[in-house]
Amino acid sequence: METLTYFLPQVWFFILALFLFLYIMLDGFDLGVGILSLTASNEERRGILMTSLSNVWDANETWLVLMGGSLFGAFPLAYATILNALYIPIILMVFGFIFRGVAFEFREQANRKWFWNLAFGIGSFIAALGQGFALGGVLAGIKVDEAGHFIGTTWDWLNLPSVLVALTLIQGYVLIGSTYLVWKTSDELQETHYKTAKIAAITTLIGAILITIATPIFYGYARIRLLNPPQIYIFALIPLLGVLLIWLLLQSLNRKEERTPFVWTILLFLLTFIGLALVVFPYIIPTEITIYEAAADPSALVFMIILIGALIPVMIFYNIYSYVVFRGKVTAGTYGGD
């Protein structure tokens, strides 16, 4: 039983990390395309952007729902504490989802589309901003009492590092959205997003550098972990690999490649995600509550693994099937105009 008590929380930490990464990767380009729709020069271009998402965006957001349910079942203490501490960023995210979801459906039936276009773009931005502030708030640490209950204030999540994280995440979403549109569009619209991808790659790199500098300055637990051997050698490698991936991404964009920029961007997200996981682990609420302290009963964790383990292949297959069926370019003919 002691082995299960130690091993199962690690398994569920990995599963939750997998769900979060799949969500950020898949819905990230959804949100990025939504933000980019604010810059579309005409209704036809904006329609092409939204059509590129129409058959996949619902499946992409399912991973966030699954992650929330799994967090509630596997680490109920963390679920209650994190939602209490990050109430405002989470509400921002939810309102953003509502705006963009309603706008996506209503826009097709509207005679004057400008309002729903704006709602979709702004909703995407608000959802990304809320996610960035939530991530920054978790990395900053959440104040809890001995029982693990939140004892901080409503605005603890709002600080300079969380602002940097939020703005950088938005740039990352714009980057992956741009590389997705490079893959899915053609002609002038594709050329436009070659340019937006290059700009977003540079701004994302700048944001990542600022976060790398700010993290050990503002967060004592991160400073101890990052600047002491042997961890320092591992964490020194991650920024170097990140710069290499940015360089490879920019090279592929300069060569006008279509699919490889998206692949390099996914690898960049994965590298960043691994770095964040290494900083946080084994805490589920930095720097107070570990995964072992917040975990549910081992029998509940085993039961959930059986259920979720059966569900994961189905969802992955459905995602892959959706992308295979709706592969190919989205053009003005596909969109069909107004």
Side-chain angles (χ1 to χ4, degrees):
M1 183 60 70
E2 289 184 3
T3 302
L4 285 178
T5 303
Y6 182 77
F7 177 68
L8 288 173
Q10 294 182 13
V11 171
W12 272 105
F13 184 87
F14 173 80
I15 292 174
L16 288 172
L18 174 65
F19 290 163
L20 183 58
F21 173 71
L22 288 172
Y23 169 75
I24 289 175
M25 180 182 68
L26 296 175
D27 203 43
F29 72 73
D30 277 6
L31 294 171
V33 171
I35 295 169
L36 287 165
S37 71
L38 293 170
T39 66
S41 58
N42 55 55
E43 191 59 41
E44 180 180 314
R45 287 191 171 192
R46 189 174 292 107
I48 292 173
L49 264 61
M50 297 183 73
T51 300
S52 72
L53 303 177
S54 59
N55 298 305
V56 297
W57 74 301
D58 287 334
N60 294 344
E61 291 186 347
T62 306
W63 293 103
L64 182 63
V65 177
L66 187 59
M67 190 197 73
S70 299
L71 180 64
F72 172 76
F75 302 104
L77 176 62
Y79 179 89
T81 302
I82 291 173
L83 263 65
N84 195 5
L86 303 177
Y87 184 78
I88 292 178
I90 291 172
I91 287 294
L92 276 177
M93 180 182 70
V94 171
F95 271 108
F97 285 152
I98 292 172
F99 275 121
R100 70 194 301 263
V102 171
F104 202 98
E105 302 298 334
F106 278 35
R107 176 186 174 278
E108 292 300 318
Q109 308 302 322
N111 293 322
R112 297 181 178 179
K113 301 182 185 296
W114 68 268
F115 176 80
W116 300 114
N117 291 335
L118 200 61
F120 182 73
I122 293 176
S124 299
F125 180 84
I126 291 174
L129 187 66
Q131 291 177 14
F133 279 133
L135 177 60
V138 170
L139 292 177
I142 296 173
K143 297 177 182 177
V144 298
D145 60 19
E146 293 181 357
H149 301 140
F150 177 60
I151 57 172
T153 66
T154 305
W155 298 97
D156 279 358
W157 53 270
L158 185 58
N159 50 62
L160 178 59
S162 71
V163 172
L164 284 175
V165 170
L167 295 178
T168 304
L169 183 65
I170 290 171
Q171 293 304 310
Y173 283 166
V174 171
L175 172 59
I176 196 171
S178 295
T179 55
Y180 173 76
L181 291 172
V182 164
W183 185 357
K184 296 293 289 184
T185 60
S186 57
D187 302 326
E188 292 183 6
L189 192 56
Q190 186 185 58
E191 286 296 322
T192 297
H193 291 105
Y194 273 120
K195 295 176 183 177
T196 59
K198 291 177 184 178
I199 296 171
I202 299 300
T203 54
T204 301
L205 176 61
I206 293 171
I209 292 172
L210 292 175
I211 291 172
T212 302
I213 295 172
T215 298
I217 294 174
F218 285 90
Y219 306 144
Y221 79 96
R223 181 167 59 250
I224 294 172
R225 179 165 291 193
L226 292 174
L227 301 181
N228 287 293
Q231 292 92 335
I232 188 172
Y233 306 115
I234 299 173
F235 290 115
L237 183 62
I238 290 176
L240 295 176
L241 290 175
V243 172
L244 174 63
L245 288 173
I246 289 287
W247 181 80
L248 291 170
L249 170 60
L250 291 173
Q251 289 295 106
S252 66
L253 292 170
N254 289 330
R255 290 193 296 266
K256 303 297 183 182
E257 297 174 1
E258 294 190 343
R259 297 188 180 186
T260 50
F262 189 68
V263 174
W264 291 128
T265 305
I266 290 175
L267 291 176
L268 185 63
F269 271 63
L270 178 60
L271 179 68
T272 305
F273 201 80
I274 291 172
L276 291 175
L278 290 174
V279 170
V280 171
F281 184 84
Y283 293 101
I284 192 74
I285 304 177
T287 56
E288 302 291 341
I289 305 297
T290 66
I291 56 175
Y292 311 109
E293 296 169 325
D297 187 85
S299 59
L301 296 179
V302 171
F303 179 72
M304 286 180 59
I305 285 177
I306 296 172
L307 293 181
I308 299 298
L311 184 60
I312 290 174
V314 175
M315 290 186 61
I316 291 176
F317 174 79
Y318 176 70
N319 275 132
I320 294 174
Y321 178 77
S322 297
Y323 287 103
V324 170
V325 169
F326 298 105
R327 66 188 181 276
K329 299 286 187 180
V330 179
T331 63
T334 308
Y335 162 54
D338 293 326

